Amino acid sequence: MRRLMASTVAVVTAAALGATSAATPRSTPPDGPDIAVTPRLACSTPGRAPLAAAPALGSGLGILASLRGTLISPTGAVQRGVPAASAGVVRHVSTRPGIGTTYVVDRRGGDVVVAVTQRRTMAIPERTEALHPTLSPTGAVAWSAGSSLRIKDGGKPILDVPVPVSGASAFAPVYIGPHELAAVMSAPPAFGSPEGTSLDNLFRVDLRTGRWRPLTRFRSFGDRWSAIRTPVLAPDGGVEFVRVSADASETVAPVFELWKVTRGGSVWRSATLDHEMYLAGHPRGGPRIWNVPVPAAGSSKIVEQLDGGRFVQVGCGSVLTDPLDAPDPDRRAAPGAVPPRGTWPGLEVAPTDGSSAVPEVAIIVGDYEQRADAESAAAAIRVAYPQAVVDVVDNASAPLAIRPGVWGALLRLPVDADPTRALTEFRGKLPDYRETSWVVTP
Amino acid sequence: MFRGRSFVRFTPILVATIVAFVTSSAIAGHMSDWVHDHSTGAIPPRPSGLAELNQMFGQRCIDRSDNGRSWWPNADTNPFGGGLYVTYNTYIARNVGFNIRNHINAAHRDGALYPGIGGYNCRMIEGSTSWSAHAWGAAVDTNWQRNYRGQTFWNGRGIDGQDHGTYIPDVWRGGFPGHRFYWGLNFSNPDPMHFQYVTNY
């Protein structure tokens, strides 16, 4: 008999399901609830809700996750005898019911792809980063090596399926047929932004022909980007995924949405998510499981979506996603990786050990085309800060604070000012300048 | 007083000595107007891991993530070589503005900069459910047109055409005389343009 974690239950309020699509819609989806999650649950210890007995790796049944770099079950039991796990950080855990379990052992440099089925255990060393392994209905394993997808099927040689677009990368494959994958193709970095996601789309990949065909046609423009994360096979044979979008230059919360591609190729948005969350699949062929990151705690919850839009936490850790509680070995320094420091007479000037006697930070309001406008702003600031020094500046008088050709009103802060607190206070006193004020060096 | 031949012999030495004196005096005099501030107020505690990153910098992609700014010449890629505001979290505003930007300017090393240079950028890491350190305004990329991700070395040639070696990375990275930023050249998939104020992330 199942015992659910009853200590805390996140109850959500259902709303009408959004039905618009930015891709190529083929039909109108049914209405349904928007999903809201209240992450009130702590995740400092592994989950204590055994939905089933701790699953054997080769069965692919139940939920398995990465927690603090190890492979665990919802009971919190650390899996014993996990192939290769002691060599690095376990991540991107994936199960296929009745088939088995696969995951990556992340090491500095080349990783190991591990696939455990009833018939065999494979530990496949890679020379590069390996991402998002997934099992086929017959026990083959596919994964991403960045510029290609790679497939190992039993004793056969590894099949390499390159991404057809130069500079693009592929990740998160999922089997949608014995010889077909759905995978995310990520466009090359944009000229104005050398790293980070710019545009992802989902593709159908035929492993027999190597042909890639788009399933979605999302677009990006300017600093606006669109990402696809955690595509999973739905019980009806469709593919669900989370779409994340934002404007990289704005300080506006990114948008998280649940989307679906049906077996027939229709694409629609199923729901807008109120919270950052990523799919963890349908491990029992039924209810949807989610990863809910808790960045402030450096951890992640696993929650199950019940009927009526309710959610219940079933564990802690990361399923399919990057672990938040185990540092990436690839980000750590290695001896000899970087050149030694040079000798720079100016750099060697001894620093002060205490706060310097000169103001190091200021708040500027700008940029104004006309000096008179900067003068008006300065006058308003002097009223709010009668004891402070307020100047009208340009690039000649404040070359680090403002660009050439414009003016600003500069409020010099005390030598020991906390910039974050000072700006918050400033904007509280002068809300008209909320969008046009920054912390600068005078 | 020099005799004729001695004067001819010693003139180059004299000129060189005068030039060296004037140059060093110029550098010393210019740099002496400003010194680093390495107090914890200017170089605050550097977070380790995601939880500390959130504790010290706040959440990603919020107002304070890009509320610090400074003007950097030679930073823009369009127009190429134009100036640009680089924005970052107010938590590191003193370190980036007063220490790093000031140092490059005071040492007359703006020519060591090369497009592109950028700070705040609300994006996910490609292929990952993790977010870039830029999303907190906790990272700056510099000279990226000559230092692409995947390149295994630092190209120190600036917009002035001179090879400045590791001058720019040395201002950013490590302890004194640097300013504690962690260099992306350390990553196993090296990112020489990238300097972030967090480790283990």
Side-chain angles (χ1 to χ4, degrees), chain A residues 294-300 323-326, chain B residues 50-52 54:
Chain A
V294 187
S299 63
S300 183
L324 302 185
D325 52 8
Chain B
L50 179 61
E52 287 191 2
N54 276 273

Side-chain angles (χ1 to χ4, degrees), chain A residues 330-344:
Chain A
D330 296 291
R331 310 289 272 189
R332 294 187 189 134
V338 298
R341 195 178 289 277
T343 302
W344 313 103

Side-chain angles (χ1 to χ4, degrees), chain A residues 38-431:
Chain A
T38 305
R40 293 193 297 263
L41 310 175
C43 227
S44 56
T45 56
R48 298 182 299 277
L51 296 177
L57 294 183
S59 70
L61 299 173
I63 304 166
L64 288 167
S66 166
L67 185 72
R68 289 185 281 277
T70 57
L71 189 66
I72 68 158
S73 66
T75 61
V78 175
Q79 290 287 336
R80 304 294 176 196
V82 177
S86 61
V89 172
V90 171
R91 67 172 182 174
H92 299 176
V93 183
S94 168
T95 55
R96 189 171 189 120
I99 303 298
T101 302
T102 182
Y103 54 91
V104 171
V105 178
D106 189 15
R107 307 179 303 185
R108 184 178 170 83
D111 297 338
V112 180
V113 175
V114 179
V116 182
T117 65
Q118 301 282 9
R119 293 168 60 185
R120 65 175 67 89
T121 295
M122 294 187 283
I124 307 161
E126 272 283 26
R127 290 169 303 185
T128 63
E129 283 286 277
L131 305 168
H132 309 129
T134 185
L135 289 169
S136 79
T138 57
V141 59
W143 68 94
S144 161
S147 57
S148 68
L149 299 174
R150 289 162 67 78
I151 296 93
K152 182 80 170 92
D153 187 359
K156 299 176 185 174
I158 293 177
L159 173 66
D160 199 86
V161 183
V163 178
V165 175
S166 176
S169 59
F171 58 92
V174 58
Y175 274 92
I176 54 176
H179 305 289
E180 279 190 313
L181 294 168
V184 181
M185 187 192 299
S186 189
F191 181 72
S193 183
E195 50 187 358
T197 297
S198 59
L199 177 64
D200 295 341
N201 272 298
L202 198 65
F203 280 73
R204 185 194 305 267
V205 185
D206 188 324
L207 299 178
R208 291 163 296 193
T209 64
R211 188 174 168 219
W212 295 62
R213 196 158 55 87
L215 292 172
T216 64
R217 287 188 171 85
F218 296 112
R219 291 180 293 273
S220 66
F221 50 90
D223 282 339
R224 185 97 203 153
W225 54 267
S226 173
I228 292 176
R229 295 293 182 264
T230 58
V232 300
L233 190 66
D236 62 5
V239 177
E240 296 177 323
F241 58 89
V242 171
R243 182 188 181 217
V244 189
S245 59
D247 188 317
S249 57
E250 298 292 329
T251 52
V252 175
V255 175
F256 296 85
E257 300 166 321
L258 175 64
W259 284 72
K260 185 168 184 177
V261 179
T262 68
R263 289 172 61 97
S266 298
V267 185
W268 70 65
R269 187 184 70 191
S270 306
T272 301
L273 308 174
D274 285 347
H275 195 75
E276 180 179 14
M277 47 201 295
Y278 303 103
L279 289 164
H282 299 259
R284 287 177 293 282
R288 204 180 277 126
I289 307 293
W290 294 87
N291 298 276
V292 181
V294 187
S299 63
S300 183
K301 291 192 261 267
I302 303 169
V303 302
E304 179 173 330
Q305 184 176 353
L306 305 178
D307 291 338
R310 292 183 302 117
F311 292 83
V312 61
Q313 182 176 353
V314 297
C316 297
S318 304
V319 180
L320 302 180
T321 55
D322 291 286
L324 302 185
D325 52 8
D328 186 340
D330 296 291
R331 310 289 272 189
R332 294 187 189 134
V338 298
R341 195 178 289 277
T343 302
W344 313 103
L347 264 178
E348 310 306 325
V349 174
T352 60
D353 291 329
S355 232
S356 74
V358 299
E360 299 175 3
V361 285
I363 293 174
I364 197 167
V365 175
D367 301 336
Y368 296 106
E369 300 291 332
Q370 303 296 327
R371 184 185 174 115
D373 295 326
E375 297 278 10
S376 296
I381 297 170
R382 289 186 189 106
V383 171
Y385 292 84
Q387 310 298 325
V389 176
V390 182
D391 298 313
V392 172
V393 298
D394 63 358
N395 185 256
S397 54
L400 308 185
I402 194 164
R403 63 181 172 92
V406 293
W407 301 89
L410 189 94
L411 166 67
R412 294 178 192 276
L413 296 174
V415 295
D416 58 350
D418 178 305
T420 305
R421 215 169 291 142
L423 186 62
T424 302
E425 180 186 299
F426 179 88
R427 289 173 170 180
K429 289 183 176 181
L430 296 159

